[in-house]
């Protein structure tokens, strides 16, 4: 069994919305062969809580506006470190970059096929690592200036 056309359509709209809000490392997996509760997962991350919330809000707005889809469940809003949107056909995980590294959902789903994403979303791969390196370099420079 593979993800339905509807699931792929939802994933593509959600991935583009996440890319529009500068999400990092957007990736989607077809989990239909291993899970009976959903067809696909979309993972995305951001370097701060406010951006996580902004990405989730944009995904929700675009899926509703373009496809008439509303989540049946939204979890994690209070801390905005990991927000989950459950659309039944797909589940969207938007995580703070630190949670993304710690929980490493990609490791859990690595045996599932990846779903091709829009070009803008695919181009975000590796951006979280680049952002972390840049931030570490800036902190090291600041630390050196303070000494």
């Amino acid at each position: 069994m593979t993800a339905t056309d509807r699931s792929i359509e939802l994933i593509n709209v959600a991935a583009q919305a996440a890319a529009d809000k500068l999400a990092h490392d957007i990736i989607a997996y077809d989990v239909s062969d291993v899970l009976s509760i959903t067809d696909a997962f979309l993972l995305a991350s951001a370097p701060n809580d406010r951006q996580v919330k902004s990405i989730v809000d944009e995904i929700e707005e675009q899926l509703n506006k373009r496809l008439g889809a509303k989540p049946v469940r939204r979890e994690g809003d209070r801390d905005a470190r990991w927000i989950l949107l459950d659309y039944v056909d797909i589940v969207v995980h938007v995580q703070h970059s630190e949670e993304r590294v710690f929980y490493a959902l990609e490791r859990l789903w690595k045996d599932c096929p990846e779903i091709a994403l829009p070009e803008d979303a695919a181009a975000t791969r590796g951006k979280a690592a680049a952002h972390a390196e840049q931030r570490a370099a800036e902190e090291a420079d600041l630390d050196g200036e303070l000494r």
Side-chain angles (χ1 to χ4, degrees), residues 4 33 51 58 64 71 91 107 117 119 131 135 145:
T4 65
D33 283 342
Q51 191 174 357
E58 183 69 10
N64 187 22
V91 176
R107 232 182 25 229
L117 297 176
E119 189 175 319
H131 179 79
R135 189 168 175 192
E145 290 175 10

Side-chain angles (χ1 to χ4, degrees), residues 97-115:
S97 298
E98 292 170 358
E99 266 66 13
R100 179 86 178 256
V101 170
F102 183 79
Y103 289 101
L105 294 179
E106 291 91 339
R107 232 182 25 229
L108 294 172
W109 305 110
K110 69 181 178 205
D111 294 333
C112 295
E114 280 189 43
I115 297 172

